[in-house]
């Protein structure tokens, strides 16, 4: 078991990708040498060429990264070091002081972006047809190596280690009582938190039944 370090500094985070990096991405997309067209009329030979061409065209000419960047920067973002890795997270406190703290973990190959639509309804339920007692203080961390979190420099960042880091994060934010939620890989992290029973965790919810997956999946298969 890896012990979570006790570095406690929490730093504000603002996203601003240099324009030259965006230009480089577009150039590399446009320079991609695509394969010949598939020999069938369906997807039995993989993703169809026309689909890949349309996706590449959209990313190179239409996708507005600055709009996505603005959505993230409109929310309070932070980083803090947990077990040697700088972890990025969004932290939105509800105006309802009795709100229940909730840490939500995204899946693979996603990011916190997939959770942005939950921020309003969860932190401000009265503006979305809910009741004040439905409110949550919301914490949305980026998994290690995902999004804007740092990349681990050693192996061993399995679900349990991430779960311990998340418990440390909630403690560091001053939440002595909280709940957790996750889907996909996030469900694995949340399930691990429930099994570890960290002080303060009073409940959990997943939209993937992790125990149904059984033991570790084999790495060498046909």
């Amino acid at each position: 078991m890896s012990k979570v370090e006790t570095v406690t500094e929490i730093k504000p985070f603002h996203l601003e990708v240099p324009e030259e990096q965006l230009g480089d991405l577009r150039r590399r997309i446009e320079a991609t040498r695509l394969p010949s067209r598939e020999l069938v009329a369906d997807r039995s030979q993989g993703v169809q060429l026309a689909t890949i061409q349309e996706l590449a065209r959209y990313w190179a000419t239409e996708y507005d990264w600055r709009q996505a960047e603005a959505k993230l920067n409109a929310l309070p973002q932070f980083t803090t070091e947990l077990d040697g890795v700088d972890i990025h997270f969004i932290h939105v406190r509800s105006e309802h002081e009795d709100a229940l703290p909730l840490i939500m973990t995204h899946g693979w190959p996603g990011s916190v972006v997939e959770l942005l639509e939950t921020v309003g309804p969860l932190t401000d339920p009265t503006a979305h047809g809910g009741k004040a007692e439905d409110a949550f203080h919301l914490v949305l961390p980026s998994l290690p190596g995902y999004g804007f979190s740092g990349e681990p420099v050693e192996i061993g960042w399995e679900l349990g280690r991430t779960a311990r880091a998340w418990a440390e994060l909630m403690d560091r934010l001053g939440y002595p009582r909280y709940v957790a939620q996750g889907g996909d890989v996030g469900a694995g992290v949340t399930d691990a938190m429930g099994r570890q029973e960290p002080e303060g965790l009073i409940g959990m919810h997943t939209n993937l039944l992790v125990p149904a997956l059984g033991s570790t999946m084999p790495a060498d298969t046909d």
Side-chain angles (χ1 to χ4, degrees):
M1 179 181 294
S2 174
K3 185 178 185 298
V4 176
E5 295 178 1
T6 57
V7 179
T8 59
E9 183 181 11
I10 295 175
K11 299 174 287 188
F13 178 85
H14 179 82
L15 179 59
E16 190 170 352
V17 176
E19 188 61 38
E20 55 266 29
Q21 291 186 14
L22 300 179
D24 177 64
L25 174 61
R26 296 187 189 101
R27 286 190 295 272
R28 286 187 286 119
I29 291 173
E30 291 170 342
T32 299
R33 297 177 61 184
L34 296 173
S36 57
R37 184 181 180 278
E38 62 280 356
L39 303 177
V40 296
D42 55 27
R43 290 179 291 181
S44 60
Q45 290 187 335
V47 180
Q48 294 159 307
L49 177 62
T51 300
I52 292 295
Q53 289 174 321
E54 174 57 21
L55 181 62
R57 183 204 61 77
Y58 171 71
W59 270 90
T61 64
E62 285 188 29
Y63 182 74
D64 187 353
W65 167 252
R66 296 303 181 196
Q67 185 179 49
E69 199 174 63
K71 286 182 180 180
L72 287 164
N73 286 333
L75 298 170
Q77 300 178 87
F78 305 90
T79 61
T80 192
E81 184 180 320
L82 292 165
D83 201 2
V85 175
D86 282 332
I87 296 296
H88 162 267
F89 63 98
I90 294 170
H91 182 202
V92 184
R93 285 188 57 85
S94 172
E95 293 184 359
H96 302 285
E97 285 303 316
D98 292 332
L100 181 62
L102 164 64
I103 183 167
M104 295 179 68
T105 310
H106 66 83
W108 174 92
S111 71
V112 291
V113 173
E114 69 194 49
L115 302 176
L116 294 186
E117 292 183 4
T118 70
V119 174
L122 291 176
T123 62
D124 189 12
T126 55
H128 295 82
K131 302 177 181 178
E133 54 264 35
D134 299 327
F136 293 92
H137 298 310
L138 196 57
V139 180
L140 307 176
S142 296
L143 289 165
Y146 288 66
F148 307 106
S149 281
E151 181 180 352
V153 295
E154 61 182 2
I155 61 173
W157 271 95
E158 35 70 49
L159 300 176
R161 187 168 177 177
T162 303
R164 290 188 290 274
W166 277 196
E168 169 63 21
L169 175 60
M170 296 304 279
D171 182 67
R172 191 172 299 180
L173 292 173
Y175 292 135
R177 181 176 179 271
Y178 62 93
V179 292
Q181 195 279 337
D184 193 75
V185 170
V189 174
T190 303
D191 180 78
M193 292 180 73
R195 295 172 188 276
Q196 292 169 5
E197 300 183 68
E199 185 176 356
L201 179 64
I202 61 171
M204 51 169 274
H205 170 271
T206 68
N207 52 352
L208 173 67
L209 186 59
V210 176
L213 297 177
S215 58
T216 302
M217 297 182 187
D220 184 16
T221 70
D222 290 336

